[in-house]
Amino acid sequence: MRISDKIIKIDPDNPEPELIKKAASVIRSGGVVVFPARCLYGLAADAFNETAVQKVFEIKGRTEKKPLLVLADSHLMISCIVKDITPMAQKIMKSFWPGLVTIILEANDSLCDNLTAGTGKIGVRKPGHPVALALVKAVGGPVTGTSANPSGASGCYDITDIDPEIAEKVDLILDAGTLKGGTGSTVVDVTGEVPVIIREGEVSGNEILAASGASAVYETSFCHRLSS
């Protein structure tokens, strides 16, 4: 299939239900869809489908030592993939969701190892873009939310800039126009007694600290694991 035939223009504010349904069907069938997140375009695959998750790694050329974050639309959906939504996590979610913060929690044992990179943890975020949120709801389960670029390369905020190899390997591309770009979500690990800032984005560590009611710790040595 030609790359141009994979691209579907979609309303960024009021995504057409039939287009969302089509993209969700691709994902439920094990495919990978390029979709708009709040800042950059991402790669969506069924987080419960080990083969589809592996395809995301292959498309990006991403090492399997790096976990993938997932997108979920509700506490109910999150409860299917984590062992516990801790009080600290709930405070941060209430303050900064949707879109601004990715929260790392203890993963359910049922999640495939390639999704978590064997860490036993999973990063989760509620989508901050209307198309992304509608897509997750239509799939009816969590989807991967990693950026749609080769590992180590810059993210894509306009479909015209998507890497040709990425476009060639995915099954569908939802074009919602030019995204805002800029800094991505802040990534914070709340599996311990204090929040650990893995990557600082639009929300500062001090804001996370204030919302969580605990002392934050910065762990910059791990920043690269969830990036790229």
Side-chain angles (χ1 to χ4, degrees):
M1 180 186 294
R2 294 180 304 174
I3 292 175
S4 59
D5 293 333
K6 299 179 182 181
I7 301 174
I8 297 177
K9 289 191 175 293
I10 191 167
D11 189 317
D13 300 313
N14 298 288
E16 296 86 346
E18 67 274 13
L19 300 183
I20 291 295
K21 183 178 179 180
K22 179 176 181 178
S25 178
V26 170
I27 292 171
R28 288 196 299 268
S29 298
V32 178
V33 173
V34 173
F35 72 99
R38 190 174 56 88
C39 295
L40 300 170
Y41 280 89
L43 297 175
D46 182 352
F48 292 136
N49 184 326
E50 186 172 4
T51 300
V53 170
Q54 185 60 36
K55 186 176 179 180
V56 172
F57 278 95
E58 293 170 357
I59 288 171
K60 286 179 63 74
R62 183 183 180 93
T63 173
E64 294 182 12
K65 294 181 179 180
K66 292 183 179 181
L68 297 178
L69 66 89
V70 300
L71 304 179
D73 73 339
S74 64
H75 279 51
L76 178 61
M77 189 178 289
I78 296 169
S79 67
C80 296
I81 58 177
V82 305
K83 292 182 177 179
D84 181 38
I85 305 176
T86 64
M88 186 188 305
Q90 293 182 43
K91 291 178 182 178
I92 296 172
M93 291 173 183
K94 183 177 180 180
S95 297
F96 303 113
W97 276 14
L100 296 175
V101 174
T102 298
I103 299 175
I104 299 176
L105 295 160
E106 294 287 347
N108 274 346
D109 295 334
S110 60
L111 288 184
C112 47
D113 286 341
N114 59 354
L115 187 66
T116 65
T119 62
K121 299 179 181 181
I122 187 70
V124 61
R125 182 173 74 245
K126 183 175 181 179
H129 192 286
V131 174
L133 182 58
L135 185 60
V136 173
K137 288 181 179 296
V139 171
V143 303
T144 60
T146 187
S147 55
N149 54 270
S151 188
S154 298
C156 168
Y157 58 87
D158 192 291
I159 289 302
T160 59
D161 296 324
I162 193 169
D163 186 279
E165 291 190 13
I166 297 285
E168 181 68 33
K169 294 175 181 177
V170 300
D171 300 286
L172 189 68
I173 299 171
L174 295 178
D175 182 358
T178 302
L179 305 179
K180 63 175 290 185
T183 307
S185 66
T186 295
V187 181
V188 56
D189 187 327
V190 296
T191 59
E193 294 183 0
V194 297
V196 177
I197 307 301
I198 305 299
R199 181 186 73 197
E200 192 169 68
E202 288 192 19
V203 177
S204 71
N206 287 334
E207 289 175 296
I208 295 290
L209 171 61
S212 67
S215 298
V217 177
Y218 288 80
E219 193 63 69
T220 55
S221 63
F222 290 102
C223 284
H224 190 62
R225 297 199 70 189
L226 278 174
S227 63
S228 303

